[in-house]
Every structure is written in structure tokens, then in C-alpha cells.
């Protein structure tokens, strides 16, 4: 998920400040299919990627300020990994941007 929110991140925060909705009208992005790669092992690290392309089919640039991954677990309900450590990313009108997370564990 991507958003335009710019509020402070807190460990208890579980939602984007202002999510950019799916669509092709003003302020919206077309959300592509989420793609997961098969896990790979390199040395003592096991990792995989999550990737999604967002297309701006509007007449104006859209700037992304926040990104997040929603995770659902039956024992814990809905939770969110929220990341605002990246610089902002502008998707110009008529173009697309791809967000890729690489998640891994090293033992």
C-alpha cells in the first residue's frame, strides 16, 4: 500500500496516514498485482521479495510519502509494517513506479 500521509511514525500506528486509493481519477493510482518471489538462500540468509507496480493514469503527478505492507494473522488480527525511511517518490502523470520489498532472515 502507498500513501500521501506525512505524520510522525509511532510503534503503535497500524495504518497509513492517507492511503492512495485504486483508480484513475484525480489523486488515485492503479494498483497492479502483488508479486511474491520464491524464497532464496545466500549463505546464512533466507529472503524473498514482494513487488507491486502503481500506475498514474491521471493528468497530475502524485507523490508517495509513505509505504506499508498489510499482514493478516488469525491470532493477532490486522497489523501493518510501515516504512517512511525512504525519500518521497513522485510518479509523474502517465507513468508507473514499482515498489519492491526484500524481506530476509539471517541466522
Amino acid at each position: 500500500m502507498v500513501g500521501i500521509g506525512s505524520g510522525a511514525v509511532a510503534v503503535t500506528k497500524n495504518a497509513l496516514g492517507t492511503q492512495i486509493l485504486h483508480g484513475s481519477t484525480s489523486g488515485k493510482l492503479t494498483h497492479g498485482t502483488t508479486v511474491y518471489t520464491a524464497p532464496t538462500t545466500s549463505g546464512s540468509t533466507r529472503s524473498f521479495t514482494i513487488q507491486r507496480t502503481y500506475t498514474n493514469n491521471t493528468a497530475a503527478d502524485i507523490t508517495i510519502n509513505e509505504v506499508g505492507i498489510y499482514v493478516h494473522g488469525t491470532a493477532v488480527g490486522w497489523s501493518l509494517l510501515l516504512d517512511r525511511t525512504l525519500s518521497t517518490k513522485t510518479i509523474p502523470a502517465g507513468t508507473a513506479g514499482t515498489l519492491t520489498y526484500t524481506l530476509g532472515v539471517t541466522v
Side-chain angles (χ1 to χ4, degrees):
M1 308 311 294
V2 294
I4 59 171
S6 59
V9 176
V11 71
T12 56
K13 191 165 184 174
N14 63 0
L16 296 176
T18 306
Q19 183 178 334
I20 299 172
L21 299 177
H22 173 79
S24 57
T25 57
S26 180
K28 296 180 181 178
L29 294 170
T30 301
H31 299 187
T33 301
T34 302
V35 177
Y36 303 87
T37 63
T40 60
T41 302
S42 177
S44 61
T45 300
R46 185 89 167 149
S47 63
F48 69 98
T49 62
I50 302 170
Q51 188 174 69
R52 190 175 208 182
T53 297
Y54 296 89
T55 304
N56 182 354
N57 291 316
T58 71
D61 296 352
I62 297 176
T63 299
I64 296 169
N65 295 327
E66 57 185 346
V67 297
I69 301 173
Y70 285 96
V71 179
H72 183 265
T74 56
V76 296
W78 288 97
S79 59
L80 172 76
L81 166 65
L82 183 63
D83 185 355
R84 279 207 202 115
T85 60
L86 307 172
S87 59
T88 60
K89 168 73 175 164
T90 298
I91 302 178
T95 67
T98 300
L99 173 65
T100 303
Y101 271 102
T102 301
L103 305 172
V105 175
T106 302
V107 293

